[in-house]
Amino acid sequence: MKALVFDAPIPTYLATLAAGRISDRFYVGPHATTRYADIEDPPLPTTRWVRLRTILGGICGSDLGILTLGTSPSTSPFGSFPFVLGHENVAEVVEAGPDVRGVSRGERVTVNPLLCCEPRGIQPRCEACAAGQHPRCTHFTDGDVPPGLMIGMTRSLGGSWGEYFVAHESQLVRVPDAVSNQGAVLVEPFACCVHAVRSSLPSGQERVLVIGAGSIGLLTVAALRALSPDAVVTVLARHTFQGEHARALGASTVVSARGDYLPALAEAAGARLLRPIIGERVAVGGFDSCLVCIGGRRGMEDALRFTRAGGTVVLLGAASKLDGVDWTPLWLKELTVRGSLTYGDHHHASPHTHAFNEASDLIATGRVKIESLLTHSFPLSGYRRALATAMDKGGARSVKVAFAF
């Protein structure tokens, strides 16, 4: 099968790192860490797994971080090489192991790619998985499959940047006939946002700031509007077209992240700006909570500065080293800062549900309309154009880019 494969032996890693500084095009190629290749179809690990033909495979910011070697090496023990990239997906079942129940060939599914205890055949499940907190699983390196957090980061399972991949029966979520492929491929990233919003759900007319208006930021706006409809949502967006999407999804205010935007953020937050002896202005008051959907230093600093005393900052962006961040507001304002990874159960939701299933249901019932966020699709053979489009958000006006098979 054709696929985009990542492998990182040290000499190849160093050569790609050096070449990528010259041009992004050198991150992919026959001598780079990511290559377009013809490989064998992945085998079924056990009798409870299925083989899937990819219909659409989304390009996630975390995938681009891997491809451009921007991901922290501290995540490398939770992967196994080489692997086919891609975890956002909609696919068709083409083969089922003999012990698989409740799914048939030809069915259209989207796959929860997280490789926690159940897909790994771990019994008894770890304490986190038993409690429904699957991102906190302690067995991402154990069991029936090679080490890895999820499909698309693990050897021998394939990924959605390939023509076929495999998944455990517990990972499958049926796609209703009424849901388009374009909607289905957004279930996985939307589930990440549902999980983050559920973890710190605003009440009443609380003020919420979403920093970043890429696909995760915009899907976070959609999750906030669906789950906390009275919240007053402000979005800090880099590009004008992103702000247009944010307003269409229900943002109350959009602030442009260009120029001196701090006064506009202060106005939206109901905060006062004070000027220190040197350095950036300091906010008094602010948003009740902030969701950081980008990975850079400035996003975290804005969140710390503009979240009110006692408020909460949730980090969705795949940040690694935030050099130069001034953490003073964390203790000065007694903030709570929490990370959010993928999706899990939410016992306080009514009814009790898993974020992945809730995301699927919100799309299927039409409570969120997010299909327009899939702005571009390309055949896998057009991977260079696809990746360039995903990286050039401003020039291409891209939000979500996918491979179409």
Side-chain angles (χ1 to χ4, degrees):
M1 70 173 189
K2 298 293 186 183
L4 282 168
V5 181
F6 181 86
D7 198 8
I10 295 299
T12 305
Y13 179 93
L14 294 175
T16 304
L17 192 63
R21 290 172 178 163
I22 300 171
S23 171
D24 287 346
R25 65 187 299 270
F26 294 125
Y27 284 121
V28 183
H31 306 294
T33 47
T34 299
R35 68 187 192 279
Y36 180 60
D38 201 341
I39 62 173
E40 293 186 2
D41 294 358
L44 301 183
T46 76
T47 57
R48 296 184 60 201
W49 285 65
V50 302
R51 186 181 314 283
L52 300 156
R53 179 186 67 81
T54 312
I55 299 172
L56 286 173
I59 298 176
C60 177
S62 64
D63 296 321
L64 295 177
I66 292 170
L67 184 143
T68 59
L69 308 182
T71 301
S72 169
S74 64
T75 63
S76 61
F78 304 103
S80 46
F81 308 92
F83 58 77
V84 178
L85 286 152
H87 56 274
E88 299 177 357
N89 65 87
V90 57
E92 177 190 358
V93 177
V94 295
E95 180 187 355
D99 292 327
V100 171
R101 298 291 181 267
V103 67
S104 304
R105 289 181 60 182
E107 285 194 278
R108 196 167 51 120
V109 299
T110 184
V111 174
N112 174 342
L114 202 65
L115 292 167
C116 49
C117 283
E118 190 167 5
R120 293 183 169 279
I122 302 292
Q123 290 293 339
R125 293 177 296 167
C126 71
E127 184 176 339
C129 283
Q133 300 299 327
H134 305 107
R136 305 176 189 178
C137 177
T138 57
H139 290 297
F140 285 126
T141 59
D142 308 318
D144 295 333
V145 296
L149 283 171
M150 60 177 62
I151 292 168
M153 300 178 184
T154 304
R155 183 180 70 247
S156 80
L157 302 182
S160 64
W161 291 15
E163 294 176 296
Y164 295 92
F165 64 102
V166 297
H168 189 267
E169 61 180 351
S170 66
Q171 297 175 283
L172 307 181
V173 175
R174 285 188 182 84
V175 177
D177 291 341
V179 176
S180 67
N181 291 330
Q182 291 77 11
V185 78
L186 291 169
V187 168
E188 192 279 339
F190 184 47
C192 294
C193 303
V194 168
H195 177 62
V197 170
R198 280 282 184 205
S199 70
S200 299
L201 190 66
S203 60
Q205 294 185 325
E206 287 189 349
R207 290 171 167 157
V208 182
L209 173 63
V210 177
I211 295 180
S215 59
I216 291 298
L218 292 172
L219 290 169
T220 296
V221 174
L224 283 163
R225 189 52 63 224
L227 303 177
S228 186
D230 294 329
V232 180
V233 179
T234 297
V235 176
L236 182 61
R238 183 177 182 184
H239 301 294
T240 300
F241 80 95
Q242 294 174 329
E244 293 167 357
H245 280 293
R247 289 188 181 91
L249 290 167
S252 306
T253 303
V254 174
V255 174
S256 171
R258 296 183 181 276
D260 181 12
Y261 56 85
L262 299 191
L265 270 187
E267 182 179 356
R272 292 182 294 130
L273 287 177
L274 305 180
R275 191 174 294 278
I277 297 173
I278 59 172
E280 194 53 85
R281 286 154 290 179
V282 176
V284 178
F287 297 95
D288 298 289
S289 62
C290 176
L291 295 107
V292 183
C293 301
I294 55 177
R297 173 188 63 82
R298 188 61 186 264
M300 179 55 74
E301 285 203 330
D302 285 340
L304 295 173
R305 182 180 295 112
F306 281 98
T307 303
R308 65 163 174 79
T312 301
V313 175
V314 181
L315 178 60
L316 286 79
S320 52
K321 296 179 180 179
L322 300 177
D323 296 335
V325 171
D326 183 354
W327 293 100
T328 302
L330 177 61
W331 55 263
L332 188 62
K333 297 195 286 184
E334 295 191 335
L335 301 176
T336 297
V337 177
R338 61 187 303 165
S340 184
L341 173 68
T342 65
Y343 14 75
D345 284 347
H346 291 278
H347 299 279
H348 54 282
S350 180
H352 166 221
T353 187
H354 189 282
F356 202 94
N357 299 86
E358 184 171 21
S360 179
D361 289 344
L362 287 170
I363 295 171
T365 58
R367 288 182 61 193
V368 298
K369 298 184 185 299
I370 55 177
E371 291 86 350
S372 63
L373 298 185
L374 180 61
T375 54
H376 299 78
S377 62
F378 297 86
L380 190 65
S381 60
Y383 63 91
R384 289 198 179 277
R385 286 180 59 213
L387 297 172
T389 300
M391 292 179 186
D392 183 19
K393 291 179 173 60
R397 294 173 62 92
S398 63
V399 179
K400 176 59 65 181
V401 182
F403 293 111
F405 294 83

